[in-house]
């Protein structure tokens, strides 16, 4: 889950926390925030769960990884990269990808490091889960696929990754769709304690800080992940087959190491890599994102998340927000695929 201990999400449970983060996110420039109505994209009807598979998955060496990914749509179409979160995988977009492909987009859906068929090329590489490293992975993937510029869309870790890419490499990002808004944080921001009720929301981060937590997650990956799904999407009645399709991605040999390092790094309990220090310095300043952006939120997101007003001014380009109704939870693309695809089509039209 996108549950980093940072000033953009942790501080949003409880009135005091929201007040704090709103002041932290103040920005002197004027964002072009507005209520947004979807444009008339010619998307056919689709129900969540309509599709259960992609075309055969592909594999490509990119940076320090051999990246596994799904691809759909014409090779010459405008590129869209869809980024999943934790504990999820590419199947969050199994209904979104064909909608976009039918509209002529080249859709790339990679497994993040530590998930699915993505593997490290060297045993000597640090199993590093820090957010800037994951963002650099996607830039390397774009290079390997000869994609100069793409629209980025994601949720949870994927939204954070897309935010970071748009902030650090705006020349590579045509437009952005981000579930739960602005998710860039830093280790320093994560050091500030929260009120007890807010801290309770992040129980698993404290669990992961212990060796018992590492062993417990390793032993109970599926049970743990299913619980996170239920908490994040309390009104999503996913079936066993839907969960199991994704749960296979957690059998990746580096999965536990990446997840544990990610959360420990956020709390300052694990070191990152020096080659990302310059990126982290920039991100610690909470940079404004200038590319055209649509942010989204489900009306039943059970995971801690900021209110749209708290982050609207972090987007200085053309910007709008959409709340998707109907009991939609944390895994918005899989629960409301048409709404997610519409947002991508609309933000591209505005870019």
């Amino acid at each position: 889950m996108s549950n980093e201990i940072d000033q953009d999400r942790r501080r949003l449970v409880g009135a005091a926390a929201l007040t704090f983060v709103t002041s932290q996110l103040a920005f002197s420039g004027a964002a072009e925030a507005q209520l947004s109505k979807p444009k008339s994209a010619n998307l056919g009807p689709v129900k969540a769960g309509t599709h259960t598979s992609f075309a055969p998955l592909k594999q490509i060496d990119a940076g320090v990884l051999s990246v596994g990914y799904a691809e759909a749509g014409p090779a010459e179409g405008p590129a869209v990269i869809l980024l999943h979160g934790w504990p999820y995988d590419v199947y969050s977009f199994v209904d979104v990808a064909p909608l976009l492909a039918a509209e002529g987009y080249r859709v790339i859906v990679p497994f993040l490091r530590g998930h699915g068929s993505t593997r490290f090329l060297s045993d000597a590489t640090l199993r590093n889960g820090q957010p800037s490293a994951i963002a650099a992975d996607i830039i390397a993937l774009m290079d390997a696929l000869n994609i100069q510029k793409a629209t980025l869309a994601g949720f949870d870790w994927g939204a954070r990754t897309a935010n970071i890419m748009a902030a650090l490499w705006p020349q590579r990002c045509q437009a952005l769709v981000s579930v739960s808004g602005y998710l860039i944080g830093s280790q320093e921001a994560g050091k500030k304690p929260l009120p007890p009720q807010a801290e309770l929301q992040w129980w698993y981060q404290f669990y992961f800080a212990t060796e018992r937590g590492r062993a417990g997650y390793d032993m109970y990956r599926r049970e743990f992940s299913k619980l996170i799904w239920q908490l994040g999407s309390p009104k999503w009645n996913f079936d066993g087959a839907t969960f199991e399709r994704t749960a296979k991605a957690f059998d990746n040999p580096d999965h536990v190491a990446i997840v544990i390092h990610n959360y420990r790094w956020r709390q300052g309990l694990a070191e990152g890599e020096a080659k990302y220090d310059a990126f982290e310095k920039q991100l610690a300043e909470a940079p404004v994102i200038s590319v055209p952006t649509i942010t989204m939120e489900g009306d039943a997101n059970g995971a801690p998340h900021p209110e749209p007003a708290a982050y609207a001014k972090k987007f200085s380009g053309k910007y709008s927000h959409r709340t998707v109704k109907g009991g939609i939870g944390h895994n918005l693309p899989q629960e409301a695929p048409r709404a997610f695809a519409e947002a991508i089509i609309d933000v591209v039209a505005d870019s």
Side-chain angles (χ1 to χ4, degrees):
M1 291 181 117
S2 257
N3 39 38
E4 277 96 334
I5 303 177
D6 63 34
Q7 67 187 59
D8 298 303
R9 294 194 68 182
R10 292 182 74 229
R11 301 187 173 92
L12 302 163
V13 182
L18 179 58
T19 300
F20 179 83
V21 78
T22 302
S23 66
Q24 289 294 308
L25 293 176
F27 175 63
S28 58
E32 298 178 36
Q34 58 200 12
L35 294 176
S36 175
K37 296 181 180 179
K39 298 177 178 63
S40 55
N42 296 317
L43 298 181
V46 63
K47 181 181 179 182
T50 298
H51 299 89
T52 59
S53 64
F54 293 98
L57 298 179
K58 300 181 178 182
Q59 205 78 22
I60 192 169
D61 289 355
V64 300
L65 300 172
S66 172
V67 179
Y69 66 100
E71 183 168 4
E76 69 278 5
V80 175
I81 299 177
L82 305 178
L83 300 168
H84 69 81
W86 172 85
Y88 305 95
D89 82 330
V90 297
Y91 283 98
S92 289
F93 304 103
V94 72
D95 287 316
V96 174
L99 290 173
L100 296 174
E103 293 293 310
Y105 292 91
R106 181 188 183 188
V107 185
I108 306 295
V109 193
F111 286 104
L112 300 185
R113 57 170 61 191
H115 295 75
S117 60
T118 292
R119 297 288 189 274
F120 285 88
L121 295 174
S122 171
D123 290 339
T125 302
L126 176 68
R127 273 34 180 179
N128 179 0
Q130 73 184 103
S132 61
I134 298 171
D137 290 343
I138 308 304
I139 292 293
L141 176 63
M142 291 175 67
D143 291 343
L145 294 173
N146 296 312
I147 296 173
Q148 180 57 35
K149 202 168 192 177
T151 295
L152 308 172
F155 75 106
D156 198 88
W157 285 23
R160 183 176 300 269
T161 300
N163 283 192
I164 292 171
M165 292 172 66
L168 296 182
W169 297 281
Q171 73 279 11
R172 306 299 299 271
C173 180
Q174 180 175 348
L176 174 67
V177 172
S178 179
V179 176
S180 297
Y182 185 89
L183 301 178
I184 295 174
S186 69
Q187 285 183 319
E188 189 61 32
K191 293 179 181 178
K192 294 183 180 296
L194 301 177
Q197 186 174 358
E199 297 281 23
L200 180 63
Q201 302 294 317
W202 308 109
W203 60 272
Y204 50 89
Q205 295 191 106
F206 299 106
Y207 182 60
F208 286 163
T210 68
E211 286 308 303
R212 179 188 178 96
R214 173 192 281 272
Y217 184 59
D218 193 9
M219 184 178 297
Y220 298 109
R221 302 183 203 194
R222 280 167 167 73
E223 295 88 345
F224 198 105
S225 298
K226 184 176 286 188
L227 175 60
I228 296 297
W229 279 33
Q230 292 166 341
L231 293 173
S233 299
K235 297 186 178 182
W236 182 31
N237 294 317
F238 59 88
D239 59 24
T242 297
F243 176 77
E244 190 56 33
R245 275 191 292 273
T246 286
K248 292 176 182 177
F250 312 147
D251 294 332
N252 182 297
D254 300 309
H255 179 74
V256 173
I258 293 297
V259 172
I260 296 300
H261 185 269
N262 180 283
Y263 289 107
R264 290 184 181 181
W265 181 89
R266 295 178 202 178
Q267 297 188 63
L269 300 176
E271 295 293 327
E273 292 178 88
K275 64 182 179 179
Y276 301 115
D277 287 351
F279 295 154
E280 297 300 342
K281 184 177 181 180
Q282 293 178 63
L283 296 172
E285 297 176 357
V288 170
I289 292 173
S290 61
V291 304
T293 299
I294 292 176
T295 58
M296 307 185 75
E297 193 60 80
D299 65 344
N301 185 358
H305 57 276
E307 292 297 323
Y311 54 70
K313 290 184 178 180
K314 299 305 292 183
F315 301 96
S316 63
K318 189 170 182 62
Y319 169 74
S320 62
H321 176 80
R322 298 176 182 180
T323 297
V324 184
K325 298 183 178 180
I328 303 304
H330 190 60
N331 187 0
L332 191 152
Q334 195 162 3
E335 297 175 60
R338 182 185 174 105
F340 193 78
E342 284 179 337
I344 292 170
I345 292 168
D346 291 350
V347 80
V348 171
D350 286 337
S351 64

